[in-house]
Amino acid sequence: QVQVVESGGGLVQAGGSLRLSCAASGRILSLNTMGWYRQAPGKQRELVAASRSGRITNYADSVKGRFTISRDNVKNTVYLQMNSLKPEDTAVYYCYVGVGSRDYWGQGTQVTISS
């Protein structure tokens, strides 16, 4: 089994920054994609950023230039640096990791941006 634990959410004012962390542990032979989704109230879950095999990154258009995904393959950890935060970034942020043919999800961390 693989466990995924996020941390770093919280409440910040618009224009501020937060850094989310996500650590995977357990039976991990190799990590494939690591990334972040988010879900705002009343909306569908959407991809925020993904790091594929540590080389290719993808970002939602709404966060390009403001968010940066990075990963530490030794620590099996992925980070999401979020700058210039906007109220519309308010959501529960979920981390996922791909191990073999399966995806594992964290429990989510709340990010709230006040205007």
PDB file of all heavy atoms in Angstrom, residues 12-20 62-68 80-86 89 113:
ATOM      1  N   VAL A  12      -4.712  32.696   3.540  1.00  0.00           N
ATOM      2  CA  VAL A  12      -3.834  33.819   3.250  1.00  0.00           C
ATOM      3  C   VAL A  12      -4.620  34.890   2.500  1.00  0.00           C
ATOM      4  O   VAL A  12      -5.663  34.608   1.903  1.00  0.00           O
ATOM      5  CB  VAL A  12      -2.595  33.414   2.427  1.00  0.00           C
ATOM      6  CG1 VAL A  12      -1.741  32.431   3.189  1.00  0.00           C
ATOM      7  CG2 VAL A  12      -3.005  32.871   1.086  1.00  0.00           C
ATOM      8  N   GLN A  13      -4.089  36.086   2.511  1.00  0.00           N
ATOM      9  CA  GLN A  13      -4.711  37.175   1.771  1.00  0.00           C
ATOM     10  C   GLN A  13      -4.340  37.095   0.298  1.00  0.00           C
ATOM     11  O   GLN A  13      -3.312  36.509  -0.068  1.00  0.00           O
ATOM     12  CB  GLN A  13      -4.270  38.519   2.340  1.00  0.00           C
ATOM     13  CG  GLN A  13      -4.843  38.836   3.708  1.00  0.00           C
ATOM     14  CD  GLN A  13      -4.532  40.247   4.144  1.00  0.00           C
ATOM     15  OE1 GLN A  13      -3.498  40.808   3.782  1.00  0.00           O
ATOM     16  NE2 GLN A  13      -5.423  40.831   4.934  1.00  0.00           N
ATOM     17  N   ALA A  14      -5.174  37.676  -0.513  1.00  0.00           N
ATOM     18  CA  ALA A  14      -4.879  37.741  -1.940  1.00  0.00           C
ATOM     19  C   ALA A  14      -3.524  38.398  -2.164  1.00  0.00           C
ATOM     20  O   ALA A  14      -3.175  39.369  -1.482  1.00  0.00           O
ATOM     21  CB  ALA A  14      -5.970  38.517  -2.661  1.00  0.00           C
ATOM     22  N   GLY A  15      -2.772  37.816  -3.090  1.00  0.00           N
ATOM     23  CA  GLY A  15      -1.430  38.300  -3.365  1.00  0.00           C
ATOM     24  C   GLY A  15      -0.354  37.574  -2.586  1.00  0.00           C
ATOM     25  O   GLY A  15       0.834  37.732  -2.879  1.00  0.00           O
ATOM     26  N   GLY A  16      -0.769  36.794  -1.620  1.00  0.00           N
ATOM     27  CA  GLY A  16       0.170  36.067  -0.793  1.00  0.00           C
ATOM     28  C   GLY A  16       0.633  34.769  -1.432  1.00  0.00           C
ATOM     29  O   GLY A  16       0.308  34.463  -2.585  1.00  0.00           O
ATOM     30  N   SER A  17       1.375  34.003  -0.646  1.00  0.00           N
ATOM     31  CA  SER A  17       1.956  32.751  -1.137  1.00  0.00           C
ATOM     32  C   SER A  17       1.720  31.626  -0.139  1.00  0.00           C
ATOM     33  O   SER A  17       1.579  31.861   1.058  1.00  0.00           O
ATOM     34  CB  SER A  17       3.468  32.907  -1.356  1.00  0.00           C
ATOM     35  OG  SER A  17       3.751  33.884  -2.327  1.00  0.00           O
ATOM     36  N   LEU A  18       1.673  30.434  -0.666  1.00  0.00           N
ATOM     37  CA  LEU A  18       1.630  29.220   0.134  1.00  0.00           C
ATOM     38  C   LEU A  18       2.452  28.153  -0.571  1.00  0.00           C
ATOM     39  O   LEU A  18       2.574  28.167  -1.806  1.00  0.00           O
ATOM     40  CB  LEU A  18       0.197  28.700   0.293  1.00  0.00           C
ATOM     41  CG  LEU A  18      -0.708  29.346   1.329  1.00  0.00           C
ATOM     42  CD1 LEU A  18      -2.117  28.770   1.202  1.00  0.00           C
ATOM     43  CD2 LEU A  18      -0.176  29.136   2.723  1.00  0.00           C
ATOM     44  N   ARG A  19       2.961  27.236   0.214  1.00  0.00           N
ATOM     45  CA  ARG A  19       3.673  26.096  -0.354  1.00  0.00           C
ATOM     46  C   ARG A  19       3.049  24.820   0.185  1.00  0.00           C
ATOM     47  O   ARG A  19       3.034  24.595   1.394  1.00  0.00           O
ATOM     48  CB  ARG A  19       5.152  26.132   0.011  1.00  0.00           C
ATOM     49  CG  ARG A  19       5.984  25.089  -0.720  1.00  0.00           C
ATOM     50  CD  ARG A  19       7.374  25.034  -0.147  1.00  0.00           C
ATOM     51  NE  ARG A  19       8.309  24.287  -0.985  1.00  0.00           N
ATOM     52  CZ  ARG A  19       9.346  23.607  -0.527  1.00  0.00           C
ATOM     53  NH1 ARG A  19       9.584  23.580   0.777  1.00  0.00           N
ATOM     54  NH2 ARG A  19      10.167  22.983  -1.355  1.00  0.00           N
ATOM     55  N   LEU A  20       2.553  24.016  -0.728  1.00  0.00           N
ATOM     56  CA  LEU A  20       1.988  22.728  -0.360  1.00  0.00           C
ATOM     57  C   LEU A  20       3.041  21.641  -0.529  1.00  0.00           C
ATOM     58  O   LEU A  20       3.856  21.692  -1.453  1.00  0.00           O
ATOM     59  CB  LEU A  20       0.778  22.401  -1.231  1.00  0.00           C
ATOM     60  CG  LEU A  20      -0.357  23.431  -1.255  1.00  0.00           C
ATOM     61  CD1 LEU A  20      -1.505  22.902  -2.126  1.00  0.00           C
ATOM     62  CD2 LEU A  20      -0.836  23.762   0.128  1.00  0.00           C
ATOM     63  N   SER A  62      -4.905  28.699 -15.744  1.00  0.00           N
ATOM     64  CA  SER A  62      -5.234  29.686 -14.708  1.00  0.00           C
ATOM     65  C   SER A  62      -4.118  29.882 -13.686  1.00  0.00           C
ATOM     66  O   SER A  62      -4.140  30.863 -12.942  1.00  0.00           O
ATOM     67  CB  SER A  62      -6.521  29.276 -13.993  1.00  0.00           C
ATOM     68  OG  SER A  62      -6.367  28.004 -13.388  1.00  0.00           O
ATOM     69  N   VAL A  63      -3.158  28.972 -13.657  1.00  0.00           N
ATOM     70  CA  VAL A  63      -2.093  29.097 -12.647  1.00  0.00           C
ATOM     71  C   VAL A  63      -0.715  29.289 -13.265  1.00  0.00           C
ATOM     72  O   VAL A  63       0.259  29.487 -12.533  1.00  0.00           O
ATOM     73  CB  VAL A  63      -2.068  27.875 -11.701  1.00  0.00           C
ATOM     74  CG1 VAL A  63      -3.431  27.630 -11.090  1.00  0.00           C
ATOM     75  CG2 VAL A  63      -1.553  26.633 -12.410  1.00  0.00           C
ATOM     76  N   LYS A  64      -0.631  29.245 -14.571  1.00  0.00           N
ATOM     77  CA  LYS A  64       0.669  29.405 -15.232  1.00  0.00           C
ATOM     78  C   LYS A  64       1.294  30.750 -14.856  1.00  0.00           C
ATOM     79  O   LYS A  64       0.623  31.779 -14.864  1.00  0.00           O
ATOM     80  CB  LYS A  64       0.506  29.303 -16.745  1.00  0.00           C
ATOM     81  CG  LYS A  64       0.313  27.896 -17.254  1.00  0.00           C
ATOM     82  CD  LYS A  64       0.169  27.864 -18.774  1.00  0.00           C
ATOM     83  CE  LYS A  64      -0.033  26.447 -19.271  1.00  0.00           C
ATOM     84  NZ  LYS A  64      -0.242  26.400 -20.736  1.00  0.00           N
ATOM     85  N   GLY A  65       2.580  30.685 -14.535  1.00  0.00           N
ATOM     86  CA  GLY A  65       3.285  31.900 -14.142  1.00  0.00           C
ATOM     87  C   GLY A  65       3.150  32.236 -12.670  1.00  0.00           C
ATOM     88  O   GLY A  65       3.865  33.110 -12.171  1.00  0.00           O
ATOM     89  N   ARG A  66       2.241  31.555 -11.973  1.00  0.00           N
ATOM     90  CA  ARG A  66       2.049  31.831 -10.538  1.00  0.00           C
ATOM     91  C   ARG A  66       2.402  30.624  -9.673  1.00  0.00           C
ATOM     92  O   ARG A  66       2.897  30.778  -8.558  1.00  0.00           O
ATOM     93  CB  ARG A  66       0.597  32.231 -10.272  1.00  0.00           C
ATOM     94  CG  ARG A  66       0.149  33.459 -11.012  1.00  0.00           C
ATOM     95  CD  ARG A  66      -1.246  33.914 -10.550  1.00  0.00           C
ATOM     96  NE  ARG A  66      -2.268  32.934 -10.809  1.00  0.00           N
ATOM     97  CZ  ARG A  66      -3.051  32.386  -9.867  1.00  0.00           C
ATOM     98  NH1 ARG A  66      -2.891  32.752  -8.587  1.00  0.00           N
ATOM     99  NH2 ARG A  66      -3.973  31.499 -10.199  1.00  0.00           N
ATOM    100  N   PHE A  67       2.134  29.432 -10.187  1.00  0.00           N
ATOM    101  CA  PHE A  67       2.379  28.208  -9.423  1.00  0.00           C
ATOM    102  C   PHE A  67       3.563  27.462 -10.040  1.00  0.00           C
ATOM    103  O   PHE A  67       3.757  27.460 -11.258  1.00  0.00           O
ATOM    104  CB  PHE A  67       1.169  27.282  -9.463  1.00  0.00           C
ATOM    105  CG  PHE A  67      -0.028  27.777  -8.698  1.00  0.00           C
ATOM    106  CD1 PHE A  67      -0.117  29.079  -8.208  1.00  0.00           C
ATOM    107  CD2 PHE A  67      -1.105  26.919  -8.470  1.00  0.00           C
ATOM    108  CE1 PHE A  67      -1.228  29.514  -7.518  1.00  0.00           C
ATOM    109  CE2 PHE A  67      -2.217  27.342  -7.782  1.00  0.00           C
ATOM    110  CZ  PHE A  67      -2.279  28.652  -7.310  1.00  0.00           C
ATOM    111  N   THR A  68       4.318  26.791  -9.173  1.00  0.00           N
ATOM    112  CA  THR A  68       5.437  25.984  -9.631  1.00  0.00           C
ATOM    113  C   THR A  68       5.412  24.641  -8.920  1.00  0.00           C
ATOM    114  O   THR A  68       5.367  24.588  -7.691  1.00  0.00           O
ATOM    115  CB  THR A  68       6.781  26.673  -9.352  1.00  0.00           C
ATOM    116  OG1 THR A  68       6.801  27.952  -9.983  1.00  0.00           O
ATOM    117  CG2 THR A  68       7.928  25.827  -9.905  1.00  0.00           C
ATOM    118  N   LEU A  80       4.104  22.202  -4.266  1.00  0.00           N
ATOM    119  CA  LEU A  80       3.417  23.173  -5.110  1.00  0.00           C
ATOM    120  C   LEU A  80       3.613  24.545  -4.487  1.00  0.00           C
ATOM    121  O   LEU A  80       3.036  24.833  -3.440  1.00  0.00           O
ATOM    122  CB  LEU A  80       1.932  22.854  -5.249  1.00  0.00           C
ATOM    123  CG  LEU A  80       1.169  23.740  -6.235  1.00  0.00           C
ATOM    124  CD1 LEU A  80       1.636  23.474  -7.668  1.00  0.00           C
ATOM    125  CD2 LEU A  80      -0.343  23.510  -6.134  1.00  0.00           C
ATOM    126  N   GLN A  81       4.460  25.342  -5.117  1.00  0.00           N
ATOM    127  CA  GLN A  81       4.670  26.711  -4.664  1.00  0.00           C
ATOM    128  C   GLN A  81       3.631  27.591  -5.348  1.00  0.00           C
ATOM    129  O   GLN A  81       3.569  27.650  -6.579  1.00  0.00           O
ATOM    130  CB  GLN A  81       6.078  27.186  -5.015  1.00  0.00           C
ATOM    131  CG  GLN A  81       6.361  28.629  -4.623  1.00  0.00           C
ATOM    132  CD  GLN A  81       6.361  28.841  -3.126  1.00  0.00           C
ATOM    133  OE1 GLN A  81       6.911  28.039  -2.381  1.00  0.00           O
ATOM    134  NE2 GLN A  81       5.734  29.935  -2.674  1.00  0.00           N
ATOM    135  N   MET A  82       2.836  28.265  -4.550  1.00  0.00           N
ATOM    136  CA  MET A  82       1.748  29.078  -5.085  1.00  0.00           C
ATOM    137  C   MET A  82       1.994  30.535  -4.715  1.00  0.00           C
ATOM    138  O   MET A  82       2.022  30.878  -3.528  1.00  0.00           O
ATOM    139  CB  MET A  82       0.409  28.593  -4.519  1.00  0.00           C
ATOM    140  CG  MET A  82       0.150  27.118  -4.752  1.00  0.00           C
ATOM    141  SD  MET A  82      -1.493  26.592  -4.232  1.00  0.00           S
ATOM    142  CE  MET A  82      -1.382  26.828  -2.457  1.00  0.00           C
ATOM    143  N   ASN A  83       2.180  31.362  -5.711  1.00  0.00           N
ATOM    144  CA  ASN A  83       2.416  32.790  -5.516  1.00  0.00           C
ATOM    145  C   ASN A  83       1.289  33.602  -6.133  1.00  0.00           C
ATOM    146  O   ASN A  83       0.510  33.089  -6.943  1.00  0.00           O
ATOM    147  CB  ASN A  83       3.746  33.193  -6.147  1.00  0.00           C
ATOM    148  CG  ASN A  83       4.933  32.479  -5.539  1.00  0.00           C
ATOM    149  OD1 ASN A  83       4.942  32.169  -4.351  1.00  0.00           O
ATOM    150  ND2 ASN A  83       5.937  32.214  -6.357  1.00  0.00           N
ATOM    151  N   SER A  84       1.227  34.844  -5.761  1.00  0.00           N
ATOM    152  CA  SER A  84       0.205  35.767  -6.298  1.00  0.00           C
ATOM    153  C   SER A  84      -1.176  35.144  -6.222  1.00  0.00           C
ATOM    154  O   SER A  84      -1.935  35.145  -7.202  1.00  0.00           O
ATOM    155  CB  SER A  84       0.547  36.139  -7.758  1.00  0.00           C
ATOM    156  OG  SER A  84       1.816  36.735  -7.844  1.00  0.00           O
ATOM    157  N   LEU A  85      -1.500  34.621  -5.083  1.00  0.00           N
ATOM    158  CA  LEU A  85      -2.752  33.901  -4.917  1.00  0.00           C
ATOM    159  C   LEU A  85      -3.960  34.812  -5.071  1.00  0.00           C
ATOM    160  O   LEU A  85      -3.926  35.992  -4.689  1.00  0.00           O
ATOM    161  CB  LEU A  85      -2.777  33.201  -3.562  1.00  0.00           C
ATOM    162  CG  LEU A  85      -1.901  31.944  -3.510  1.00  0.00           C
ATOM    163  CD1 LEU A  85      -1.574  31.561  -2.087  1.00  0.00           C
ATOM    164  CD2 LEU A  85      -2.583  30.795  -4.223  1.00  0.00           C
ATOM    165  N   LYS A  86      -5.009  34.228  -5.630  1.00  0.00           N
ATOM    166  CA  LYS A  86      -6.247  34.955  -5.887  1.00  0.00           C
ATOM    167  C   LYS A  86      -7.395  34.271  -5.152  1.00  0.00           C
ATOM    168  O   LYS A  86      -7.331  33.067  -4.887  1.00  0.00           O
ATOM    169  CB  LYS A  86      -6.546  34.955  -7.382  1.00  0.00           C
ATOM    170  CG  LYS A  86      -5.435  35.515  -8.251  1.00  0.00           C
ATOM    171  CD  LYS A  86      -5.787  35.375  -9.728  1.00  0.00           C
ATOM    172  CE  LYS A  86      -4.672  35.916 -10.612  1.00  0.00           C
ATOM    173  NZ  LYS A  86      -4.994  35.768 -12.053  1.00  0.00           N
ATOM    174  N   ASP A  89      -8.497  30.934  -6.298  1.00  0.00           N
ATOM    175  CA  ASP A  89      -7.668  29.755  -6.024  1.00  0.00           C
ATOM    176  C   ASP A  89      -8.166  28.988  -4.805  1.00  0.00           C
ATOM    177  O   ASP A  89      -7.647  27.915  -4.492  1.00  0.00           O
ATOM    178  CB  ASP A  89      -6.217  30.174  -5.781  1.00  0.00           C
ATOM    179  CG  ASP A  89      -5.552  30.761  -7.015  1.00  0.00           C
ATOM    180  OD1 ASP A  89      -5.762  30.215  -8.124  1.00  0.00           O
ATOM    181  OD2 ASP A  89      -4.825  31.758  -6.885  1.00  0.00           O
ATOM    182  N   ILE A 113      -8.240  31.791   0.149  1.00  0.00           N
ATOM    183  CA  ILE A 113      -7.645  33.089  -0.150  1.00  0.00           C
ATOM    184  C   ILE A 113      -8.691  34.169   0.101  1.00  0.00           C
ATOM    185  O   ILE A 113      -9.760  34.171  -0.516  1.00  0.00           O
ATOM    186  CB  ILE A 113      -7.170  33.170  -1.612  1.00  0.00           C
ATOM    187  CG1 ILE A 113      -6.363  31.919  -1.979  1.00  0.00           C
ATOM    188  CG2 ILE A 113      -6.353  34.435  -1.834  1.00  0.00           C
ATOM    189  CD1 ILE A 113      -5.166  31.653  -1.108  1.00  0.00           C
TER     190      ILE A 113
END
